[in-house]
Amino acid sequence: MGELSLRRLQRVGKATYSISLPKGWVRKRGLRPGDILEVYEESDGSLRIRSRIDKLAESSYLIDAELCRVYGQISKLITACYHRGCERVEVRAAGGLNDEVVKEISEAASRLPGFEIIERTNKSIVLQNFIDPSKFSVRGLIRRLQTMISTMFGNISDFLFSMSYEDIKSIRDLREKIRQLHALMVRLLITYLEHRGLGRAIGLKNSTDAYCMIMFSDHMLRIAEHLYDIGEEFLRFRKRLWRNKEMLSLLKELIGLTSMIFEDSINAFINTDPQHTMKILNQISNIVDHQLSGGELLKVHDLGRTCFIEKILCSLRGIMLECERIVEEIFDRFIENGGPVCMLKETYRSV
């Protein structure tokens, strides 16, 4: 908690008001008369003042590879730095980087959009960000995630009709692209929380909006993982799928139903429609309790087929649960944005 100081509001001219800034704060940042400051209004009505020095300071992290004794730890740290909005990461080892560490760093960089290796020696590797966050729209990224997951649904449905394994194999590539897009979206949203002036460029209004978007991105990633699991199960079960026409027909119906709920959930989230949200929540509850309970599909005496069906139903229920969470977060956005249905009643009291 910073030190509290009181300032008297001054009137300058006919339509402008001003307050003086703490001298220590000004000197610490090397500011001079005429320098430009950025002023943001927070959702609670308070103001945040940021100097250009604060804005342009680039975060940089140094990772000591010799202290990371478990494989995978370095890649996790690099990813965390990326999410945090870090512009530069150096991985260093006084005794030299072995081939395993170099491979781990390279693989981590390949999964992070805009993060590239710019310098490499025997003892260190430097990664640099080349992405400008102001060039991205959050709404555009949401639509891109929606399109890729819709394609995954489409590939699974096509496989059930065409029996072409290429439709299923392409899901693996889509899953990797969604992982990369998720990492980019998390980075963008955390950067916004550090630099609120970015909000207008990327289409965010407040911190609640940013929080909901981060959660949304997580839900989309998990939906993609469930679809990937379904695809892998289909590949393992292979031609046995088409021996039972009734089971195949029910699977087509359930995939189509889940895809429809997914599309409705995303559109409701984007449009912030609480009335439509309640209809979707009721649909999800009904589908999970009845169609995805497995009653008809599990009426088989083949143990292998029973295990296969249970795994597919588990993944479909998982997708429904993520859709449910997505639409529930609509209410958080709705309340924050305000409206005639639920308006913020502000009351002020003297301190």
Side-chain angles (χ1 to χ4, degrees):
M1 181 71 71
E3 181 181 350
L4 173 66
S5 63
L6 300 178
R7 293 289 185 272
R8 187 180 298 277
L9 186 65
Q10 305 287 339
R11 184 167 183 172
V12 181
K14 295 183 178 180
T16 303
Y17 296 89
S18 68
I19 60 170
S20 61
L21 297 173
K23 186 183 294 184
W25 184 85
V26 172
R27 287 180 173 176
K28 184 178 179 181
R29 284 156 180 79
L31 298 174
R32 297 178 180 179
D35 288 347
I36 296 176
L37 301 178
E38 296 179 346
V39 181
Y40 309 109
E41 183 177 358
E42 302 285 5
S43 57
D44 62 358
S46 62
L47 296 178
R48 172 186 290 195
I49 301 174
R50 185 187 295 276
S51 71
R52 286 289 178 104
I53 294 174
D54 294 334
K55 180 180 179 181
L56 297 177
E58 293 187 353
S59 57
S60 176
Y61 284 86
L62 174 63
I63 298 173
D64 190 335
E66 294 181 333
L67 298 179
C68 301
R69 298 180 177 87
V70 180
Y71 183 80
Q73 184 178 353
I74 293 175
S75 64
K76 293 292 185 184
L77 289 172
I78 291 173
T79 303
C81 291
Y82 179 87
H83 287 165
R84 177 67 177 73
C86 177
E87 293 294 318
R88 180 185 174 94
V89 175
E90 180 181 358
V91 183
R92 184 187 300 172
L97 298 170
N98 60 44
D99 292 341
E100 186 179 62
V101 171
V102 172
K103 180 183 177 183
E104 183 181 354
I105 295 170
S106 299
E107 289 178 350
S110 69
R111 295 191 295 266
L112 303 172
F115 231 34
E116 298 180 14
I117 295 175
I118 62 168
E119 184 180 326
R120 177 175 171 179
T121 66
N122 291 334
K123 295 184 178 181
S124 74
I125 292 178
V126 178
L127 299 98
Q128 179 75 39
N129 170 58
F130 289 96
I131 282 185
D132 180 359
S134 65
K135 301 299 183 183
F136 292 89
S137 158
V138 171
R139 189 184 182 93
L141 292 177
I142 288 175
R143 286 300 191 189
R144 181 62 182 147
L145 282 171
Q146 180 185 11
T147 299
M148 287 194 287
I149 292 179
S150 296
T151 303
M152 293 180 81
F153 271 114
N155 287 349
I156 290 174
S157 296
D158 290 345
F159 169 73
L160 293 176
F161 282 97
S162 68
M163 295 182 282
S164 171
Y165 291 107
E166 293 304 315
D167 290 326
I168 290 295
K169 291 177 181 177
S170 64
I171 288 177
R172 296 172 179 173
D173 294 332
L174 285 167
R175 174 208 194 194
E176 188 56 39
K177 290 178 181 178
I178 289 170
R179 284 180 168 181
Q180 293 178 6
L181 193 56
H182 169 265
L184 174 61
M185 196 162 178
V186 171
R187 176 184 175 87
L188 180 66
L189 295 167
I190 291 179
T191 301
Y192 160 75
L193 293 174
E194 292 288 326
H195 304 284
R196 298 300 178 88
L198 189 62
R200 180 174 296 179
I202 65 176
L204 285 180
K205 297 179 180 178
N206 47 57
S207 56
T208 300
D209 219 14
Y211 164 78
C212 289
M213 293 301 176
I214 291 175
M215 297 302 295
F216 172 87
S217 182
D218 286 344
H219 297 319
M220 295 290 271
L221 179 61
R222 284 192 284 270
I223 289 173
E225 294 294 339
H226 285 306
L227 288 171
Y228 170 81
D229 290 341
I230 291 172
E232 291 299 300
E233 283 301 314
F234 282 171
L235 283 176
R236 277 192 286 269
F237 209 65
R238 289 188 173 268
K239 294 181 180 179
R240 288 177 290 173
L241 268 172
W242 289 274
R243 293 176 186 171
N244 188 318
K245 299 295 183 181
E246 184 180 359
M247 181 185 73
L248 184 61
S249 177
L250 284 170
L251 285 174
K252 291 177 181 177
E253 180 185 345
L254 292 177
I255 294 293
L257 196 58
T258 306
S259 176
M260 180 195 70
I261 290 294
F262 167 76
E263 297 293 344
D264 286 349
S265 299
I266 304 307
N267 290 330
F269 180 85
I270 292 173
N271 298 322
T272 319
D273 185 348
Q275 293 187 7
H276 188 44
T277 296
M278 292 307 303
K279 295 178 181 178
I280 296 173
L281 287 173
N282 290 332
Q283 283 180 313
I284 291 174
S285 177
N286 182 62
I287 292 170
V288 171
D289 290 343
H290 296 92
Q291 284 97 324
L292 295 181
S293 63
E296 291 297 321
L297 281 170
L298 291 173
K299 290 180 179 178
V300 293
H301 302 290
D302 184 328
L303 181 59
R305 187 179 297 174
T306 300
C307 291
F308 163 76
I309 292 170
E310 286 180 339
K311 289 178 180 178
I312 298 299
L313 291 176
C314 181
S315 293
L316 291 176
R317 285 194 293 266
I319 293 173
M320 286 291 182
L321 178 60
E322 298 303 329
C323 289
E324 183 179 56
R325 289 170 176 168
I326 286 172
V327 295
E328 284 179 344
E329 282 158 14
I330 292 172
F331 292 100
D332 292 329
R333 299 181 67 212
F334 184 76
I335 292 296
E336 187 65 29
N337 295 332
V341 176
C342 184
M343 292 186 292
L344 174 65
K345 183 180 180 181
E346 295 182 328
T347 56
Y348 297 93
R349 58 186 179 87
S350 58
V351 180

